[in-house]
Coordinates of all heavy atoms in Angstrom, one line a residue:
L84 N 18.2 4.4 -10.8 CA 19.6 4.3 -10.6 C 20.3 5.0 -11.9 O 21.2 5.8 -11.7 CB 20.1 2.9 -10.6 CG 20.7 2.3 -9.3 CD1 21.0 0.9 -9.5 CD2 21.8 3.2 -8.7
A87 N 19.8 8.7 -11.9 CA 20.6 9.4 -10.8 C 22.0 9.5 -11.2 O 22.7 10.5 -10.9 CB 20.4 8.7 -9.5
R88 N 22.5 8.4 -11.7 CA 23.9 8.3 -12.0 C 24.3 9.5 -13.1 O 25.3 10.2 -12.9 CB 24.2 7.0 -12.8 CG 25.6 6.6 -12.8 CD 25.8 5.3 -13.6 NE 25.1 4.1 -13.1 CZ 24.1 3.4 -13.8 NH1 23.8 3.8 -14.9 NH2 23.6 2.4 -13.2
V91 N 22.0 13.6 -11.2 CA 21.8 14.4 -9.9 C 23.1 14.0 -8.9 O 23.8 13.2 -9.1 CB 20.6 14.0 -9.2 CG1 19.3 14.3 -10.0 CG2 20.5 12.5 -8.8
D92 N 23.1 14.9 -7.9 CA 24.2 14.9 -6.9 C 23.6 14.1 -5.7 O 24.5 13.6 -4.9 CB 24.6 16.2 -6.5 CG 25.0 17.1 -7.6 OD1 26.1 16.8 -8.3 OD2 24.3 18.1 -8.0
L93 N 22.4 14.2 -5.5 CA 21.9 13.5 -4.3 C 20.4 13.0 -4.5 O 19.6 13.6 -5.3 CB 21.8 14.5 -3.1 CG 21.5 14.2 -1.8 CD1 22.4 14.8 -0.7 CD2 20.0 14.5 -1.5
T94 N 20.1 11.9 -3.9 CA 18.7 11.3 -4.1 C 18.1 11.1 -2.7 O 18.8 10.8 -1.7 CB 18.7 10.0 -4.8 OG1 19.3 10.1 -6.0 CG2 17.4 9.2 -4.9
I106 N 16.5 -0.1 -2.2 CA 17.0 1.0 -3.2 C 18.2 1.7 -2.7 O 19.1 2.0 -3.5 CB 15.8 2.0 -3.5 CG1 16.2 2.8 -4.8 CG2 15.5 2.8 -2.3 CD1 15.0 3.6 -5.2
I107 N 18.3 1.8 -1.4 CA 19.6 2.5 -0.8 C 20.7 1.6 -1.0 O 21.8 2.1 -1.4 CB 19.3 2.8 0.7 CG1 18.1 3.9 0.9 CG2 20.5 3.5 1.3 CD1 18.2 5.2 0.3
N108 N 20.6 0.2 -0.7 CA 21.6 -0.6 -1.0 C 22.1 -0.6 -2.4 O 23.4 -0.6 -2.7 CB 21.2 -2.0 -0.6 CG 20.6 -2.2 0.7 OD1 19.6 -1.5 1.0 ND2 21.1 -3.0 1.5
A109 N 21.2 -0.5 -3.4 CA 21.5 -0.5 -4.8 C 22.2 0.8 -5.1 O 23.3 0.8 -5.9 CB 20.3 -0.6 -5.6
F110 N 21.8 1.9 -4.6 CA 22.5 3.2 -4.8 C 23.9 3.2 -4.2 O 25.0 3.6 -4.8 CB 21.7 4.4 -4.3 CG 20.7 4.9 -5.3 CD1 19.7 4.1 -5.8 CD2 20.7 6.3 -5.8 CE1 18.7 4.6 -6.7 CE2 19.8 6.8 -6.7 CZ 18.8 5.9 -7.1
Q111 N 24.0 2.7 -3.0 CA 25.3 2.6 -2.3 C 26.3 1.8 -3.1 O 27.5 2.1 -3.1 CB 25.2 2.1 -0.9 CG 24.6 3.2 0.1 CD 24.3 2.6 1.5 OE1 24.5 1.5 1.7 NE2 24.0 3.5 2.4
A112 N 25.8 0.7 -3.5 CA 26.7 -0.2 -4.3 C 27.3 0.5 -5.5 O 28.4 0.1 -6.0 CB 25.9 -1.4 -4.8
E113 N 26.8 1.6 -6.0 CA 27.3 2.3 -7.2 C 28.0 3.6 -6.7 O 28.3 4.4 -7.5 CB 26.2 2.6 -8.2 CG 25.7 1.4 -8.8 CD 25.3 1.6 -10.2 OE1 25.7 2.6 -10.8 OE2 24.7 0.7 -10.8
G114 N 28.1 3.7 -5.4 CA 28.7 5.0 -4.8 C 27.9 6.2 -5.0 O 28.5 7.3 -5.0
L115 N 26.6 6.0 -5.1 CA 25.7 7.2 -5.2 C 25.2 7.6 -3.9 O 24.9 6.8 -3.1 CB 24.5 6.9 -6.2 CG 24.9 6.5 -7.6 CD1 23.7 6.2 -8.5 CD2 25.7 7.8 -8.3
R116 N 25.0 9.0 -3.7 CA 24.5 9.5 -2.5 C 22.9 9.5 -2.3 O 22.3 10.3 -3.1 CB 25.1 10.9 -2.2 CG 26.6 10.9 -2.0 CD 27.2 12.2 -2.1 NE 27.0 13.2 -1.1 CZ 27.4 13.1 0.1 NH1 28.2 12.1 0.5 NH2 27.2 14.1 1.0
A117 N 22.5 8.7 -1.5 CA 21.0 8.5 -1.4 C 20.6 8.4 0.1 O 21.2 7.6 0.8 CB 20.5 7.3 -2.1
L366 N 24.2 12.0 5.4 CA 25.0 11.0 4.6 C 26.5 11.1 5.1 O 27.2 10.1 5.0 CB 25.0 11.4 3.2 CG 23.7 11.2 2.5 CD1 23.7 11.7 1.0 CD2 23.3 9.7 2.4
D367 N 26.9 12.2 5.6 CA 28.3 12.4 6.0 C 28.5 12.1 7.5 O 29.7 12.2 7.9 CB 28.8 13.9 5.7 CG 28.8 14.1 4.2 OD1 28.8 13.1 3.4 OD2 28.7 15.3 3.8

Side-chain angles (χ1 to χ4, degrees):
L84 249 181
R88 201 186 297 120
V91 301
D92 304 294
L93 183 141
T94 299
I106 194 167
I107 300 294
N108 309 56
F110 273 59
Q111 284 179 354
E113 295 217 11
L115 298 178
R116 287 165 73 72
L366 294 173
D367 296 338

